[in-house]
Amino acid sequence: MPEVLQNAEKSAVQSVPGGADHVAIIMDGNGRWATQQGKPRLFGHRAGAKRVREIVESCPDLGVKYLTIFAFSTENWKRTQAEVAGLMMLFRRYITKETQALNEKNVRVRFIGDRVRLDKKLQTLMDELEELTKDNTSVNLTIAINYGGRDEVARAIKDIARDVRDGKLDAEGVNEGTLSSYLDTMVLPDPDLVIRTSGEARISNFLLWQSAYAEYEFIDTLWPDFTRDIFSEVLDRFNGRDRRFGAVKK
Ligand code: IPE
Ligand code: IPE
Ligand code: MG
């Protein structure tokens, strides 16, 4: 087990037996939420960003140790230049505004996704927040920005190929664990539950490898309306599910 994960396991948060240790959320529906109110899409993104705090802060009580949220996909660059610029500005603002509260709540923040295409200022803020919160032991919050599951696997394979070429890795020894250890999520356990808001029943390139045995919940609520109570209800449903991992129940 990687050292980082061992440390995280000692976290102050108690897990519910068989509960959802790692919940991943596809935060969808900001645009429609704004449009319903006759407002520009960015208004919805702002409301969506505000929702994050309540959900992160509810994790310790709900027994969630890892929360991973999808903020911007590798495909979201296809949106208008204005929307993309607005979202990037919002990410910078979100980090600046939330840093203190996140740190005070003992939240450890990580980012996944390809940072190279993000602007330098944003990259610096992301690095600083990771560094500042690296010893925190409550919720492990992972924010996916410029993240795509296929892109992540492709980048990992490129790194594996390089290490084989450089004699650091034996090609014959490459297995599932090797690939997992080259992904952006290398220190995280696999998600137990993936929630998508806004009624869409697809995963849109989120945590493809890691979600092999995740349970899914597709709910109609738009992300800016997703409350702690709704989160709690979804977790209760998850706890009632029978996970077999390919085996037959005794
Ligand atoms: C999710 O909300 C946030 C991002 C993808 C950045 P959307 O912007 O996709 O909202 P809808 O799906 O258009 O309503
Ligand atoms: C997925 O939502 C990405 C995020 C929530 C960040 P999208 O709105 O981009 O997904 P599609 O286009 O509906 O599949
Ligand atoms: Mg959407």
Side-chain angles (χ1 to χ4, degrees):
M1 192 187 281
E3 198 190 328
V4 194
L5 192 52
Q6 271 178 341
N7 290 340
E9 295 291 288
K10 288 182 207 145
S11 128
V13 185
Q14 295 298 309
S15 63
V16 177
D21 275 0
H22 184 178
V23 178
I25 307 182
I26 302 172
M27 307 183 291
D28 197 16
N30 295 346
R32 277 163 283 172
W33 187 88
T35 304
Q36 280 173 5
Q37 298 174 54
K39 298 269 176 41
R41 294 179 57 85
L42 209 57
F43 182 78
H45 293 314
R46 249 183 256 129
K50 276 197 203 125
R51 270 278 141 231
V52 173
R53 188 190 277 206
E54 176 181 330
I55 300 309
V56 173
E57 291 184 357
S58 70
C59 284
D61 281 350
L62 298 174
V64 175
K65 295 159 79 176
Y66 294 85
L67 179 73
T68 300
I69 54 177
F70 203 4
F72 191 89
S73 77
T74 45
E75 287 70 39
N76 287 146
W77 298 105
K78 293 177 193 163
R79 298 188 177 195
T80 63
Q81 202 267 334
E83 182 167 350
V84 169
L87 280 163
M88 294 300 149
M89 186 192 61
L90 204 61
F91 297 147
R92 288 195 300 270
R93 259 201 225 151
Y94 174 82
I95 296 174
T96 310
K97 262 181 65 185
E98 294 294 313
T99 287
Q100 199 187 342
L102 287 164
N103 197 34
E104 277 171 11
K105 294 275 173 189
N106 201 15
V107 176
R108 176 164 189 176
V109 185
R110 297 182 179 88
F111 292 92
I112 55 171
D114 190 357
R115 298 183 196 199
V116 175
R117 202 170 162 185
L118 303 175
D119 75 60
K120 286 282 170 294
K121 176 90 177 53
L122 178 57
Q123 287 187 41
T124 304
L125 289 167
M126 289 159 70
D127 293 342
E128 285 171 356
L129 184 55
E130 283 183 334
E131 177 61 26
L132 177 76
T133 62
K134 72 178 191 315
D135 296 322
N136 288 351
T137 55
S138 179
V139 187
N140 287 273
L141 172 66
T142 303
I143 307 176
I145 301 183
N146 194 24
Y147 175 86
R150 287 184 169 183
D151 176 70
E152 180 190 36
V153 170
R155 283 186 287 108
I157 289 172
K158 199 189 272 182
D159 289 343
I160 289 173
R162 278 200 197 106
D163 283 353
V164 168
R165 181 197 63 197
D166 297 344
K168 293 181 194 156
L169 191 67
D170 170 20
E172 294 308 318
V174 171
N175 56 25
E176 291 184 11
T178 317
L179 183 50
S180 292
S181 73
Y182 276 78
L183 295 174
D184 298 349
T185 51
M186 60 181 94
V187 299
L188 307 177
D190 285 342
D192 298 294
L193 170 66
V194 178
I195 301 169
R196 183 174 187 143
T197 56
S198 90
E200 309 295 353
R202 55 177 171 263
I203 57 173
S204 303
N205 207 4
F206 192 41
L207 301 175
L208 296 181
W209 171 269
Q210 299 87 340
S211 298
Y213 266 99
E215 300 289 325
Y216 282 92
E217 279 276 348
F218 298 103
I219 64 162
D220 288 337
T221 310
L222 302 174
W223 173 252
D225 292 329
F226 188 81
T227 58
R228 182 203 157 99
D229 287 348
I230 298 173
F231 191 25
S232 176
E233 274 168 33
V234 173
L235 288 168
D236 283 347
R237 274 205 298 277
F238 167 87
N239 286 325
R241 290 195 192 193
D242 183 16
R243 300 180 80 195
R244 289 186 289 277
F245 300 97
V248 175
K249 208 179 168 199
K250 287 192 198 97

